[in-house]
Amino acid sequence: EEPLVASRDDDLKPAGRNEKAFRLEPAEPSHSQRRKPFWEEPQPAQAPAPAPEDSEPPRSQSARQTEVIVLHLMAKGGTPIAGNDLLEALLANGLRYGSMQIFHRHLNPDGSGPVLFSLANSVKPGYFNLADMDSFQTPGVSLFMALDGLDNPLEAYKELVKIAQNMAKPLNVGVLDETRSVLTKQTIEHYRQQIIDFTRRSFTLTH
């Protein structure tokens, strides 16, 4: 049987039962109050280290920025996603529990190889407690894929969309884009072109 925890994260253990129980937020905050997902939170600014005299000029901020593709799986009809159902769907689609206490899809379904994309809870604090999955509920989860560092981002994106659609029916959820609108064929193609453009820019910057 395939492991629940990814092999590359064997040193990370599921949160214990003595940790604070995972709870849903109350009502969803207004647009002005809504915070960005934890993977988009700005990091504290740090003073750049002085560059050697012969080093090449630093790249622009836009050139260094990592693009992220995000899809949301949101429960339909106000019925939350049950923890055990979610866990079963995740394992069936090759995602494994690992770093940051969230789930990851690695290059290989057994949890080995580099991470292609990850899945977090859509409500704060974003992580999962495996010990409480039998009582856990959530209105939705978010799949996200950082393009930077992937050997084949187009193939990873294809797998991302396939898994999101595979999980939709058994969990009775809708597949939404980053704006939380229904994911359409046009949006899928738009993201695909975005990845192609990113790959082309990255190749130009490194050659």
Side-chain angles (χ1 to χ4, degrees), residues 91-167:
L91 297 178
N93 284 279
L95 282 91
R96 297 292 177 265
Y97 189 78
S99 61
M100 298 188 292
Q101 294 180 270
I102 60 177
F103 290 85
H104 308 276
R105 177 62 165 90
H106 294 257
L107 179 62
N108 304 310
D110 64 357
S112 62
V115 171
L116 302 182
F117 50 85
S118 304
L119 179 142
N121 192 9
S122 291
V123 295
K124 293 187 293 186
Y127 58 78
F128 302 94
N129 186 343
L130 283 184
D132 294 331
M133 291 301 281
D134 55 346
S135 59
F136 169 76
Q137 292 183 332
T138 181
V141 293
S142 300
L143 288 152
F144 60 98
M145 181 181 75
L147 303 185
D148 189 32
L150 292 177
D151 290 336
N152 195 333
L154 276 178
E155 283 299 315
Y157 172 64
K158 181 179 178 180
E159 184 70 10
L160 172 70
V161 173
K162 184 183 77 172
I163 285 179
Q165 293 174 336
N166 284 349
M167 294 175 62

Side-chain angles (χ1 to χ4, degrees), residues 44-124:
Q46 296 181 355
E53 287 186 11
D54 297 332
S55 64
E56 61 182 86
R59 295 172 184 169
S60 65
Q61 181 63 28
S62 60
R64 297 195 307 267
Q65 187 176 6
T66 297
E67 292 191 34
V68 179
I69 302 296
V70 180
L71 297 180
H72 302 285
L73 302 180
M74 303 303 295
K76 295 179 179 179
T79 303
I81 305 169
N84 284 336
D85 293 340
L86 175 63
L87 183 59
E88 182 178 347
L90 291 171
L91 297 178
N93 284 279
L95 282 91
R96 297 292 177 265
Y97 189 78
S99 61
M100 298 188 292
Q101 294 180 270
I102 60 177
F103 290 85
H104 308 276
R105 177 62 165 90
H106 294 257
L107 179 62
N108 304 310
D110 64 357
S112 62
V115 171
L116 302 182
F117 50 85
S118 304
L119 179 142
N121 192 9
S122 291
V123 295
K124 293 187 293 186

Side-chain angles (χ1 to χ4, degrees), residues 9 92 114:
D9 298 312

